[in-house]
Amino acid sequence: MDARPEGSLVPQQGWWNRNWRWAVPVGCLGVLASCGCLGALALGWGLKSVGTTGASVYTEAVGIARMDAQVRSSLGSPIEAKLPTQTSVNTVNGVTRARLDVPLDGPQADGVLHVDAEKTGDEDWRYRALNVELPDGTRLDLRSEAEKPDDEKTPDEAPLPQEGAPTPEAPGDQQDAPKRDIEL
């Protein structure tokens, strides 16, 4: 009940002056809750992009990196794998392609595991790129020699040309060589 006499000319306080004690904390909590919800939503989308398919290539690639002797000597042991900073997992016509950049932390140094892999159906992952980038910029290729394309194999392991197959010529030889007609 209002104790002021009727017809009083004393101005009544505004809404803010009467309610600021509870409005400020509620407003601050509302802003914090909104930021938390947006952060959780972004994290959920990020984890969904990795999904179960991306998780399998993630765990397999991190396991290969942890077992590699060069990586262990460069980064130290144990090696901690963080959540991927860049992920892309796409499936088109039964072929799944995954690209990941996974930060690796070791006691001696940190590195980044770069993964570019694909698989068809229930086959194993085939790595188009699987390397660890060290802080000095060097990259350690973790693929086995069988997984590397012929142009990336070391010269002593590259397949020999078959008998009767033309041998590659040096760039200067191609200019001096006479043109040959090809019969079909």
Side-chain angles (χ1 to χ4, degrees):
M1 178 174 224
D2 194 8
R4 285 182 269 160
E6 191 175 334
S8 172
L9 297 177
V10 177
Q12 187 179 11
Q13 290 182 335
W15 183 90
W16 181 251
N17 289 334
R18 288 178 291 158
N19 300 310
W20 71 271
R21 286 182 180 85
W22 65 266
V24 169
V26 169
C28 290
L29 289 175
V31 169
L32 288 175
S34 297
C35 291
C37 288
L38 288 176
L41 192 62
L43 181 64
W45 278 334
L47 292 176
K48 182 182 176 191
S49 72
V50 174
T52 57
T53 304
S56 68
V57 71
Y58 170 82
T59 54
E60 187 176 315
V62 168
I64 292 170
R66 284 181 175 156
M67 298 303 294
D68 190 74
Q70 285 182 313
V71 175
R72 283 194 314 238
S73 67
S74 299
L75 302 181
S77 187
I79 297 171
E80 293 291 323
K82 305 286 184 176
L83 288 176
T85 55
Q86 304 250 341
T87 61
S88 171
V89 180
N90 298 317
T91 302
V92 178
N93 295 332
V95 176
T96 302
R97 185 154 186 203
R99 290 184 177 177
L100 309 169
D101 289 341
V102 182
L104 300 176
D105 291 337
Q108 297 172 358
D110 296 339
V112 178
L113 174 64
H114 300 283
V115 180
D116 185 0
E118 67 179 28
K119 78 175 193 172
T120 305
D122 292 334
E123 294 178 2
D124 291 336
W125 288 100
R126 290 185 317 271
Y127 294 99
R128 298 166 50 131
L130 180 63
N131 55 57
V132 174
E133 183 176 357
L134 300 175
D136 63 359
T138 59
R139 288 186 179 227
L140 304 174
D141 194 353
L142 305 180
R143 295 178 296 171
S144 66
E145 287 299 318
E147 292 175 321
K148 294 180 185 178
D150 290 338
D151 60 340
E152 291 183 24
K153 290 185 179 178
T154 54
D156 57 336
E157 295 177 359
L160 297 173
Q162 296 191 359
E163 211 170 299
T167 58
E169 299 173 350
D173 294 342
Q174 292 175 353
Q175 294 172 355
D176 300 335
K179 304 269 188 222
R180 299 180 196 161
D181 292 332
I182 299 174
E183 293 182 32
L184 298 176

